[in-house]
């Protein structure tokens, strides 16, 4: 314990250096702006600015502090477009749209943005505290997860999805299946067979997540707005001046704590990321609620849970990167590459050989969370005013952001046609009362599920019993079964009592 406190003391000495402190603030602010742009997300934000940090000749600790600030800031910023425009900034912000956007449409944009900021701050700070004291031990446990354990984790995530959103479980399941089908498009990595490509060379590498999320959310929302304008049913959104209150925070305090715990522990598992953490946190909270009828219609718990989990998972993903040299997410993979550029090898020895980098980064994350709260809360009113933009200007703005966001990342004109087609498809699903969140989550989880299933079967030479030969996998299958069965039993009991 003494080593932890002495390490943190040396880390704060590095992070509070005037130049490094400036980099923390600059990274958080820039990350917030990057995250607010639909589809850019933390991965692309860090990747875009990595050459700048390297080219300016920063010290390794200064460069990684700047990039980590961008990472955290982008996780915060992703909520802005999710809440205001119903367009998630990245995969982790998909769940934020479910209750965040309805709150904005109900005239509570200010409350939604401020609640999101506070939940993100608590989740992020909670994860950094756990990382400081228990990081190495937790990373050692996380690395013990085998491919078969990850298959069980994905089954648990799909089970959580079963009653996650929407009033119709069948449509939720069909949405997840559509997402799985989209995830299977492209060349099979094992056999080299083209799947569902229909002779189109541009999708041989598969459909990029950015294209799917911008198409199904951004373009579908655009078409929906145009339809309402044409029918004359478009309503002017109310802009409130409300702010999250202590009473609101007291109402969601346990929600934020549960989301933070779930987000951190899922975040330390390499390859999972914020999308899985936010989905599981949302599903858990919906089941824990006595009255879940408001979920999906602007419930504060449905916003606080994924936001806390989202930022907690960002801290959790740092644990295996720093302690084992294994990236926990796509963004930490880029941060790992940044350290290697500076001839720094992350791992257990980094805390003793390069403590100024390891502890300096951890200390900067404490500062970054506070900085993001201080930066974002005063801007809540300004962000909420975006909803006052006349619809004839807001509609083309969404279109421009969608096209620029996609083309700046993938640089393929074909994908612009793809997001348009997916937008029409997403609009059609909305007309049929489908929730689009299960489609996105099915797409994200489908790739992880297939990759780990193939690895597990390759290890066992095709023996399916490998999927149930570990304590971790058995426990996760039992949890998945309970997640499906317990709500059915409880629902029947309540109906009998009624």
């Amino acid at each position: 314990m003494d080593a932890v406190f002495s390490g943190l003391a040396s880390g704060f000495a590095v992070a509070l250096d005037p130049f490094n402190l400036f980099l923390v603030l600059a990274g958080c602010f820039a990350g917030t702006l990057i995250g607010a742009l639909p589809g850019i997300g933390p991965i692309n934000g860090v990747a875009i600015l990595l050459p700048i940090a390297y080219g300016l000749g920063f010290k390794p600790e200064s460069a990684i502090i700047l990039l980590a600030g961008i990472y955290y800031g982008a996780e915060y910023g992703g909520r802005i477009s999710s809440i205001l425009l119903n367009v998630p900034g990245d995969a982790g912000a998909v769940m934020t749209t479910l209750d965040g956007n309805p709150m904005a449409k109900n005239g509570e944009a200010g409350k939604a943005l401020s609640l999101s900021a506070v939940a993100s701050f608590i989740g992020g700070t909670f994860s950094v505290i756990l990382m400081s004291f228990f990081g190495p031990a937790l990373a050692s446990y996380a690395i013990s997860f085998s491919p078969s354990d990850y298959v069980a984790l994905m089954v648990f995530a799909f089970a959580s999805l079963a009653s996650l959103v929407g009033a119709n479980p069948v449509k939720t399941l069909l949405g997840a299946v559509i997402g799985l089908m989209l995830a299977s498009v492209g060349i099979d990595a094992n056999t080299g067979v083209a799947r569902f490509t229909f002779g189109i060379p541009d999708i041989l590498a598969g459909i990029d997540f950015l294209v799917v999320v911008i198409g199904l959310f951004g373009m579908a929302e655009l078409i929906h707005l145009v339809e309402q304008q044409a029918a004359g049913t478009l309503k002017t959104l109310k802009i409130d001046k409300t702010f999250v209150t202590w009473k609101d925070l007291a109402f969601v305090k346990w929600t934020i704590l549960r989301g933070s715990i779930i987000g951190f522990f899922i975040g330390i598992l390499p390859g999972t990321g914020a999308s899985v953490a936010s989905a599981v946190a949302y599903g858990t909270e919906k089941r824990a609620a006595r009255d879940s009828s408001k979920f999906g219609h602007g419930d504060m718990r449905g916003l606080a849970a994924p936001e806390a989990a989202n930022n907690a998972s960002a801290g959790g993903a740092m644990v295996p990167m720093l302690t084992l040299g294994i990236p926990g997410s796509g963004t930490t993979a880029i941060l790992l590459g940044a350290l290697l550029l500076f001839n720094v090898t992350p791992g257990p020895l980094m805390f003793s050989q390069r403590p100024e980098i390891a502890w300096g980064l951890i200390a900067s994350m404490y500062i970054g969370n506070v900085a993001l709260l201080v930066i974002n809360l005063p801007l809540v009113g300004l962000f909420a005013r975006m909803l006052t933009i006349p619809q004839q200007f807001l509609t083309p703005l969404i279109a421009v952001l969608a096209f620029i966001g996609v083309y700046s990342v993938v640089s393929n004109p074909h994908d612009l046609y793809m997001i348009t087609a997916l937008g029409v498809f997403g609009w059609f699903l909305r007309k049929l009362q489908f929730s689009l969140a299960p489609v996105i989550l099915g797409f994200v989880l489908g790739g992880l599920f297939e990759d780990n299933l193939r690895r597990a079967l390759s290890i066992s030479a095709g023996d399916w019993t490998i999927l149930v030969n570990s304590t971790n996998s058995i426990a996760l299958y039992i949890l998945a079964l309970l997640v499906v069965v317990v709500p059915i039993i409880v629902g029947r009991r309540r109906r009998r009592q009624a």
Side-chain angles (χ1 to χ4, degrees):
M1 193 66 69
D2 291 338
V4 172
F5 284 114
S6 63
L8 280 174
S10 64
F12 275 106
V14 172
L16 290 174
D17 175 83
F19 181 65
N20 289 338
L21 185 60
F22 167 75
L23 291 179
V24 171
L25 299 176
C28 290
F29 183 73
T32 301
L33 297 180
I34 290 171
L37 295 173
I40 301 298
I43 296 179
N44 297 308
V46 174
I48 291 169
L49 295 176
L50 172 58
I52 297 176
Y54 182 71
L56 292 177
F58 289 165
K59 292 180 180 179
E61 60 269 26
S62 299
I64 199 67
I65 283 173
L66 171 64
L67 296 175
I70 294 168
Y71 177 23
Y72 254 51
E75 292 287 355
Y76 266 68
R79 78 187 196 280
I80 297 171
S81 59
S82 301
I83 292 172
L84 300 180
L85 304 177
N86 198 33
V87 182
D90 64 323
V94 169
M95 305 310 299
T96 302
T97 64
L98 297 180
D99 284 280
N101 186 249
M103 285 183 70
K105 290 181 178 178
N106 293 338
E108 296 180 316
K111 179 181 288 189
L113 288 167
S114 54
L115 173 61
S116 170
V118 174
S120 297
F121 165 74
I122 296 173
T125 304
F126 180 84
S127 71
V128 180
I129 293 172
L130 287 183
M131 179 173 65
S132 303
F133 290 93
F134 308 109
L138 291 171
S140 299
Y141 171 70
I143 199 63
S144 70
F145 261 56
S146 65
S148 59
D149 295 332
Y150 276 103
V151 171
L153 178 63
M154 293 303 108
V155 170
F156 172 65
F158 278 118
S160 299
L161 186 65
S163 60
L164 187 62
V165 291
N168 191 329
V170 175
K171 289 184 177 180
T172 299
L173 181 61
L174 285 175
V177 170
I178 292 170
L180 288 169
M181 293 175 65
L182 290 172
S184 65
V185 172
I187 293 180
D188 184 285
N190 282 28
T191 63
V193 175
R195 303 181 299 187
F196 305 115
T197 58
F198 303 102
I200 303 173
D202 291 282
I203 57 175
L204 287 174
I207 303 175
D208 193 276
F209 168 78
L210 175 62
V211 174
V212 175
V213 74
I214 292 296
L216 289 179
F217 275 89
M219 298 306 292
E221 182 73 15
L222 172 68
I223 296 172
H224 179 65
L225 288 174
V226 171
E227 179 191 26
Q228 287 185 315
Q229 282 180 301
T233 59
L234 191 63
K235 297 179 181 178
T236 303
L237 297 178
K238 297 180 294 181
I239 301 298
D240 67 323
K241 295 183 179 181
T242 58
F243 206 71
V244 65
T245 64
W246 289 111
K247 183 179 179 181
D248 296 329
L249 294 178
F251 177 65
V252 298
K253 60 183 179 182
W254 300 117
T255 297
I256 294 175
L257 179 61
R258 283 189 290 266
S260 300
I261 294 172
I262 291 171
F264 178 76
F265 284 101
I266 290 182
I268 64 173
L269 298 175
T272 49
S275 55
V276 179
S278 58
V280 173
Y282 186 94
T284 301
E285 199 54 41
K286 186 175 181 182
R287 290 182 181 84
R290 284 183 171 272
D291 178 16
S292 61
S293 60
K294 292 184 179 179
F295 276 74
H297 302 284
D299 195 303
M300 288 191 296
R301 295 166 295 180
L303 173 62
E307 281 298 285
N310 191 357
N311 281 72
S313 70
M318 290 283 193
V319 173
M321 186 200 77
L322 290 175
T323 59
L324 300 174
I326 299 172
S329 66
T331 311
T332 52
I334 298 174
L335 293 176
L336 175 64
L339 289 173
L340 295 176
L341 275 177
F342 287 97
N343 295 318
V344 177
T345 304
L349 296 179
M350 190 172 75
F351 282 81
S352 58
Q353 295 178 349
R354 302 300 297 271
E356 75 280 5
I357 297 177
W359 288 110
L361 173 61
I362 292 173
S364 75
M365 293 169 71
Y366 282 99
I367 298 171
N369 272 299
V370 176
L372 282 165
L373 191 66
V374 172
I375 290 171
N376 279 268
L377 284 182
L379 296 177
V380 162
L382 178 63
F383 290 141
R385 298 295 296 176
M386 288 175 58
L387 295 178
T388 63
I389 299 175
Q391 294 296 336
Q392 61 265 33
F393 300 121
L394 184 60
T395 303
L397 176 62
I398 295 174
V400 169
L401 288 175
F403 282 110
I404 291 177
V406 169
Y407 193 77
S408 63
V409 175
V410 297
S411 302
N412 185 352
H414 174 269
D415 288 325
L416 302 182
Y417 296 108
M418 181 67 74
I419 64 170
T420 305
L422 286 171
V424 174
F425 182 58
W427 170 78
F428 180 69
L429 290 178
R430 286 181 61 162
K431 298 292 284 185
L432 296 177
Q433 303 298 314
F434 276 78
S435 174
L436 297 177
V439 181
I440 300 295
L441 293 171
F443 180 81
V444 174
L445 300 180
L448 294 171
F449 179 80
E450 181 182 13
D451 290 344
N452 285 290
L453 179 62
R454 286 185 180 271
R455 289 193 192 105
L457 294 178
S458 296
I459 292 170
S460 67
D463 184 1
W464 288 84
T465 59
I466 192 176
L467 300 179
V468 290
N469 68 352
S470 73
T471 305
N472 290 331
S473 59
I474 292 172
L476 286 167
Y477 286 129
I478 292 173
L479 285 173
L481 184 63
L482 291 175
V483 159
V484 173
V485 173
V486 170
I488 297 175
I489 296 174
V490 172
R492 288 180 178 176
R493 183 175 297 177
R494 286 178 178 173
R495 283 194 294 271
R496 287 173 184 173
Q497 291 176 347

